[in-house]
Amino acid sequence: MNTLPPMLALEREGPVARVWLNRPDTRNAFNAELIHALDRCFAQLATEPELRVIVLGGRGKVFCAGADLGWMRDMATQGWDANHRDAQALAAMLWTIWSCPVPIIGRIHGDCFAGGLGLAAVCDVRVAAEGAQFCLSEARLGLLPATIAPYVVRAMGQSAAQRYMITAERFSAAQAARCGLVHEVVAPEQLDTHVQALIEGLRANGPAAVRACKQLVRDVAQAPLSPELRADTARRIADIRASAEGREGLHAFLDKRPPAWTTDPCSRKS
């Protein structure tokens, strides 16, 4: 991968990639450079067939506090065209992460505000430390969370998203879990242990099956229960049953042995 700017750190450990927002002095706030770096990073990771899991987290005391104040100040002096280009870049970055075929775990601690909440929402599994705070704060600034809205609404549901977007109030990790935005809330000292357990669980599953499951959910979530959908889902299960991975998984289960992908040197920690 081409060299990333220091504000984004990438660590590789065999088939696991850890992407860190690395602007702790600005509470990992977005600016144009960080948005571009995230877009490039996830676009590249999406092309790597051997990659099994990506973890997205933030260095320092918080996950992401939203937009950088200097960047916001600059945008406030710009006209519609510049603001539109800027918003399009953010929307493109979120789409790149959302459409990445590799499962993404969001490691959330401290503040997860505004655009940072959108960044969490595009992850597949979201784990938060107790004490984490969430906020869709845009309305308080006379703005709205438009580019992140498609992902936030999917992650937390229409009712909760409507409440927190219009009130711009802070809410806790426990409240985030109740509405589905967060899947697990753990003690801060257990955050990395829990993320590691999720990584190991994902690596125990069939690599192609995990990617296919991720795509399946995206495709059927809003689809009508039609003959076309029944035909499509029947084709998908037939495809994977007849695949080399599907056959290996079934034979391993029947033979009461680990499947090959759990013993492949490429799938073990390096």
Side-chain angles (χ1 to χ4, degrees):
M1 183 178 295
N2 294 332
T3 303
L4 294 169
M7 62 179 57
L8 189 67
L10 175 63
E11 298 174 351
R12 300 298 298 264
E13 189 179 24
V16 179
R18 298 177 189 269
V19 180
W20 297 96
L21 307 179
N22 192 32
R23 303 187 73 210
D25 55 323
T26 64
R27 299 165 62 81
N28 293 321
F30 286 140
N31 62 10
E33 187 178 6
L34 181 57
I35 289 170
H36 180 62
L38 280 164
D39 188 69
R40 286 196 299 116
C41 181
F42 277 88
Q44 176 60 42
L45 294 175
T47 69
E48 300 183 15
E50 75 283 359
L51 195 58
R52 302 287 301 279
V53 189
I54 301 170
V55 179
L56 178 61
R59 291 264 172 81
K61 295 182 179 180
V62 308
F63 175 70
C64 178
D68 179 87
L69 293 178
W71 180 51
M72 292 175 64
R73 189 177 296 110
D74 182 57
M75 285 297 102
T77 67
Q78 302 296 317
W80 187 91
D81 289 339
N83 274 280
H84 188 226
R85 287 192 300 271
D86 181 78
Q88 285 180 312
L90 176 58
M93 178 269 285
L94 293 169
W95 172 255
T96 296
I97 300 176
W98 169 263
S99 59
C100 179
V102 185
I104 303 169
I105 299 172
R107 178 195 180 279
I108 303 164
H109 73 297
D111 293 341
C112 182
F113 290 175
L117 198 152
L119 195 59
V122 295
C123 297
D124 301 297
V125 184
R126 296 172 289 275
V127 183
E130 293 171 355
Q133 291 283 306
F134 299 80
C135 187
L136 291 160
S137 56
E138 287 86 349
R140 194 160 296 152
L141 307 178
L143 305 173
L144 78 166
T147 50
I148 67 173
Y151 311 103
V152 171
V153 172
R154 282 171 171 79
M156 67 191 305
Q158 179 179 344
S159 179
Q162 185 159 307
R163 170 186 172 171
Y164 291 118
M165 284 186 186
I166 65 176
T167 64
E169 63 190 302
R170 294 190 182 197
F171 55 103
S172 68
Q175 289 171 299
R178 283 197 290 271
C179 67
L181 175 63
V182 166
H183 296 106
E184 301 283 348
V185 180
V186 299
E189 64 273 16
Q190 292 298 314
L191 182 58
D192 288 318
T193 300
H194 197 81
V195 168
Q196 187 61 37
L198 285 168
I199 291 170
E200 296 305 321
L202 284 164
R203 291 178 61 185
N205 300 336
V210 168
R211 292 185 178 218
C213 284
K214 178 170 177 173
Q215 189 60 50
L216 176 66
V217 173
R218 304 285 169 85
D219 292 342
V220 306
Q222 304 298 325
L225 295 173
S226 65
E228 291 77 17
L229 181 63
R230 295 199 302 271
D232 176 63
T233 53
R235 176 192 58 75
R236 293 186 196 217
I237 189 61
D239 285 347
I240 204 158
R241 281 178 181 170
S243 70
E245 180 176 297
R247 290 180 187 277
E248 166 61 15
L250 287 172
H251 284 303
F253 176 75
L254 295 171
D255 296 342
K256 297 182 179 180
R257 61 172 174 81
W261 59 78
T262 64
T263 57
D264 185 340
C266 292
S267 71
R268 295 199 298 265
K269 288 185 180 180
S270 61

